[in-house]
Amino acid sequence: FRGVEMCEGSTEVPRPLQVRAVRVDLLEPTIDFLVTPRIDEGTRAWGGRTTSEFLTEFKCQVALNGSIFDIFASKRGEPTHVQGLSLSRGDLCVTTNKWDALLINTNRRAWIAHSAADAPGAYNGLSGFYALLSDGRNIGDMGPRHPRSAAGISRNGRYLILMAIDGRQPGYSESASTGETAEWIGKLGAYNALNLDGGGSTTLV
């Protein structure tokens, strides 16, 4: 796609890992973004979808899971609760200031915010958990390993990098810590990066 490139990588050291990533050129004028829109007011205001359902429904070229959410939606469209900041084309909802967020304005400038208070000027955005890279510094740790989803921004601000690390698949891809995830997305060109909801949610389509 115009302004969109994909790559994949793998390693056997220190354990098998499979990585997929997409790099989006934020200077490409035809690029646009969409965060899951609200379907109602209140705390359960988002319609549940799989990542592939989201991509098909909204005719996207690329989709990545993002926000922390409840897992009780049993079918497409069922109301779910999203934690943190959700900003879909100007429609802002903040349920907690606890998590960091990826924000993008109408000119496709992207940044990582450390609270919802840093959202002025943003048009799209969503919370993950905490930042992985801060001005090139790895601020992850070597704690629990899980499948990981992450978003990163290059030092010059030109590129948005979306990455998924497969996990919980012995002998194929055995999950990563946040520190390892930060190393991977840094090698792919990110200078600032955010750890998104991972585990069984990790999906890049």
Side-chain angles (χ1 to χ4, degrees):
F1 300 119
R2 187 167 180 174
V4 178
E5 302 168 278
M6 192 183 86
C7 74
E8 56 186 40
S10 64
T11 186
E12 296 294 324
V13 179
R15 75 196 74 85
L17 281 181
Q18 297 287 328
V19 182
R20 305 288 184 273
V22 170
R23 187 175 76 168
V24 180
D25 186 349
L26 299 176
L27 295 183
E28 169 53 51
T30 62
I31 294 290
D32 198 4
F33 295 93
L34 177 65
V35 173
T36 301
R38 283 194 285 182
I39 58 172
D40 200 355
E41 300 296 324
T43 60
R44 295 178 64 82
W46 292 265
R49 299 169 182 86
T50 65
T51 311
S52 56
E53 286 172 342
F54 178 91
L55 180 137
T56 300
E57 179 178 346
F58 293 105
K59 298 179 173 58
C60 300
Q61 295 174 336
V62 174
L64 177 71
N65 72 290
S67 298
I68 308 150
F69 67 103
D70 67 42
I71 59 173
F72 301 109
S74 59
K75 60 183 179 181
R76 178 177 168 181
E78 188 170 326
T80 62
H81 173 73
V82 170
Q83 295 185 32
L85 176 150
S86 176
L87 175 59
S88 182
R89 294 183 174 172
D91 180 22
L92 175 64
C93 181
V94 179
T95 59
T96 175
N97 281 317
K98 182 177 182 180
W99 310 118
D100 297 339
L102 167 69
L103 298 169
I104 304 173
N105 69 12
T106 54
N107 294 320
R108 297 176 305 282
R109 185 179 74 84
W111 68 99
I112 305 296
H114 298 292
S115 77
D118 295 332
Y123 188 58
N124 285 295
L126 75 169
S127 291
F129 285 102
Y130 296 111
L132 294 166
L133 292 173
S134 179
D135 293 339
R137 183 170 59 93
N138 186 334
I139 53 177
D141 59 42
M142 297 305 289
R145 296 193 297 264
H146 298 288
R148 300 284 178 182
S149 298
I153 304 159
S154 64
R155 185 170 188 171
N156 62 6
R158 177 169 182 172
Y159 296 107
L160 175 69
I161 298 151
L162 306 176
M163 183 185 76
I165 300 178
D166 280 337
R168 301 175 183 168
Q169 299 173 72
Y172 174 71
S173 193
E174 299 182 4
S175 301
S177 67
T178 57
E180 291 166 336
T181 304
E183 286 293 311
W184 271 99
I185 202 163
K187 289 180 184 298
L188 292 171
Y191 191 63
N192 289 283
L194 176 67
N195 186 35
L196 301 174
D197 190 18
S201 300
T202 289
T203 324
L204 174 64
V205 183

